[in-house]
Amino acid sequence: MTAILPTYKRFEVRVKQAYGTKIEDIEGKQYLDFGSGIGVCNLGHRHPDVQSAIEEQLNHYWHVSNLYYNPIQEDVAKLLTTNSVADYVFFCNSGAEANEAAIKLARKATEKTKIITFKQSFHGRTFATMSATGQEKIQVGFGPMLETFVYVPYNDLNAVIDAIDDETAAVMLELVQGEGGVIPAEASFVRELEKICREKSVVLIIDEIQTGMGRTGKRFAYEHFGIKPDILTLAKGLGNGLPVGAMLANEKFYDVFGPGSHGSTFGGNPLAMAAAKAVLNIVFNEEFLNHVQIKSDYLRSMLLEKISDLPIVKSIRGKGLMLGIECTKDISELIPQFIQNGLLVLVAGPTVIRLLPPLTVSKKEIDEAVRVIRDVLVDYK
């Protein structure tokens, strides 16, 4: 009997320890982790540099109020702004909180309330971010959503143009819809969308909670498109397992959030900052990112070679080490089979297998994962 509310459909894996790309259960069975804690452990479990940084910070202090200067926050903020188009950072604890901050900042800066998001998007589970999410299954049972969010079809520029009016504060966009099916944005759509936002004085918010921190082979996914978002949100891979989120904004927003207008008691926690600093020093290295791209190309090519001919496989899509295998039928029954065969994967809707391996994954581990995927899919009737 558990004392935990059943908010998750848990699988029969009882974790004892984790290291690198492997998770070990209490019975000693090992699993190759191609979910990375849902895109969190981008450097694998217990990366030595991250663990060492956390242990060092533990010996200094764990928490002080944000009413005082915390030098390690400044270090992390500088790394983020130096390596992005942003100028300032607000630290929080999660992706949902980062998106909440972005929504509040855009509304306060523009004095407008309408925000355009996209069907099949996912932005979080707080009330505002749930309202921003373009999936009814996330919203069902909670009563009326906030009415100032409007959902339009993904990759449809004309739909965005039609939705923009005098009350539009922002457009909020994932460059790869993760929970919505691992659907990449089209380059022409993203570039034209940026132009429209500039012409209409609409804030462009890019949700990089799952696509950021090297996941797509760039520091941030927006770099693939040559655009400059006004606001950027991060979490997941930023702390490699420690809870941390961040909202990044350009200089024109500096005076919008004055003292008392927004905050987070645990935002910028020193232990989370120590982890984030270690992560950034690794992930923002060009050689590291080049290796991510090489491995992502290899994973995609192996999937195309080994499984694209199977009747159940409809398409293989994504960007970097964020890939989806779209199937012709419901794959929920397959997940326990992957687990039984020692591979942990994710779903993105009823028919998409989502792969988010650590960015440190080896080619040998990719080969192992692809072999298991093929074995399971071949036998699925």
Side-chain angles (χ1 to χ4, degrees):
M1 176 67 72
T2 178
I4 300 173
L5 281 170
T7 53
Y8 296 94
K9 183 179 179 180
R10 299 183 193 272
F11 299 102
E12 287 302 318
V13 177
R14 299 179 183 273
V15 180
K16 179 181 179 182
Q17 59 182 338
Y19 36 84
T21 57
K22 300 295 179 85
I23 288 178
E24 183 178 319
D25 69 17
I26 59 175
E27 296 176 348
K29 181 176 179 177
Q30 290 189 350
Y31 304 85
L32 185 57
D33 185 6
F34 264 49
S36 301
I38 315 183
V40 168
C41 296
N42 282 7
L43 298 180
H45 300 281
R46 290 176 54 196
H47 189 284
D49 288 7
V50 180
Q51 183 164 334
S52 177
I54 296 166
E55 290 172 350
E56 181 179 350
Q57 184 61 44
L58 273 169
N59 291 318
H60 294 291
Y61 58 99
W62 304 356
H63 175 80
V64 294
S65 169
N66 279 319
L67 295 173
Y68 314 117
Y69 286 103
N70 188 339
I72 197 168
Q73 288 183 0
E74 296 286 351
D75 293 344
V76 177
K78 192 66 176 177
L79 281 168
L80 287 170
T81 56
T82 301
N83 287 278
S84 73
V85 296
D87 299 293
Y88 299 102
V89 181
F90 170 79
F91 289 115
C92 49
N93 307 288
S94 68
E97 285 185 48
N99 281 338
E100 284 272 350
I103 291 165
K104 288 178 66 175
L105 184 64
R107 288 180 55 149
K108 195 168 191 291
T110 62
E111 297 183 337
K112 299 176 182 180
T113 59
K114 181 176 173 180
I115 295 179
I116 298 169
T117 65
F118 295 86
K119 294 179 180 179
Q120 295 306 116
S121 62
F122 181 82
H123 298 292
R125 294 182 184 273
T126 62
F127 218 88
T129 58
M130 178 173 62
S131 297
T133 294
Q135 297 188 56
E136 186 177 353
K137 69 179 183 181
I138 303 297
Q139 304 169 345
V140 67
F142 295 101
M145 294 294 104
L146 300 180
E147 297 178 354
T148 53
F149 289 94
V150 175
Y151 319 116
V152 299
Y154 196 55
N155 283 321
D156 188 335
L157 185 66
N158 288 330
V160 177
I161 294 171
D162 290 344
I164 292 175
D165 59 25
D166 292 341
E167 284 303 311
T168 304
V171 174
M172 194 172 192
L173 173 72
E174 298 164 281
L175 294 171
V176 181
Q177 288 189 329
E179 304 292 332
V182 194
I183 303 171
E186 296 171 1
S188 59
F189 165 73
V190 174
R191 291 171 186 142
E192 289 301 314
L193 175 63
E194 182 194 35
K195 289 181 183 178
I196 293 298
C197 287
R198 296 286 174 264
E199 291 172 4
K200 303 290 187 179
S201 298
V202 171
V203 176
L204 179 59
I205 303 170
I206 301 295
D207 179 339
E208 294 253 20
I209 288 159
Q210 194 164 144
T211 56
M213 312 314 303
R215 175 55 59 184
T216 66
K218 299 280 190 183
R219 294 166 297 185
F220 308 103
Y222 76 79
E223 294 178 279
H224 291 283
F225 302 89
I227 63 170
K228 294 184 177 181
D230 297 303
I231 298 173
L232 191 65
T233 55
L234 304 173
K236 288 190 180 289
L238 179 58
N240 209 63
L242 266 73
V244 57
M247 181 200 66
L248 284 60
N250 64 33
E251 59 182 354
K252 68 183 179 184
F253 296 99
Y254 178 72
D255 293 323
V256 177
F257 270 179
S261 62
H262 195 55
S264 174
T265 297
F266 296 107
N269 172 269
L271 299 182
M273 292 292 96
K277 184 176 179 179
V279 167
L280 295 175
N281 281 327
I282 296 169
V283 170
F284 285 170
N285 180 282
E286 287 300 326
E287 184 178 358
F288 178 87
L289 291 170
N290 287 338
H291 283 295
V292 172
Q293 192 58 61
I294 290 168
K295 286 183 280 192
S296 65
D297 291 343
Y298 182 72
L299 174 57
R300 184 187 289 269
S301 68
M302 291 304 295
L303 289 170
L304 288 170
E305 178 184 333
K306 300 296 185 181
I307 70 168
S308 63
D309 62 333
L310 300 178
I312 191 176
V313 176
K314 184 176 180 181
S315 68
I316 297 167
R317 61 182 181 235
K319 190 175 285 292
L321 285 173
M322 183 178 179
L323 295 178
I325 303 168
E326 185 180 12
C327 297
T328 58
K329 59 180 73 174
D330 191 296
I331 48 87
S332 57
E333 296 178 6
L334 291 179
I335 305 305
Q337 294 182 45
F338 285 120
I339 293 172
Q340 185 177 350
N341 284 273
L343 178 66
L344 305 181
V345 299
L346 301 164
V347 297
T351 61
V352 179
I353 301 165
R354 181 171 32 153
L355 305 179
L356 298 170
L359 308 184
T360 53
V361 68
S362 69
K363 287 188 175 181
K364 182 179 178 180
E365 290 166 332
I366 289 172
D367 290 341
E368 180 184 347
V370 173
R371 177 189 59 78
V372 173
I373 291 168
R374 178 175 174 82
D375 288 348
V376 172
L377 293 182
V378 164
D379 292 336
Y380 189 53
K381 305 300 181 184

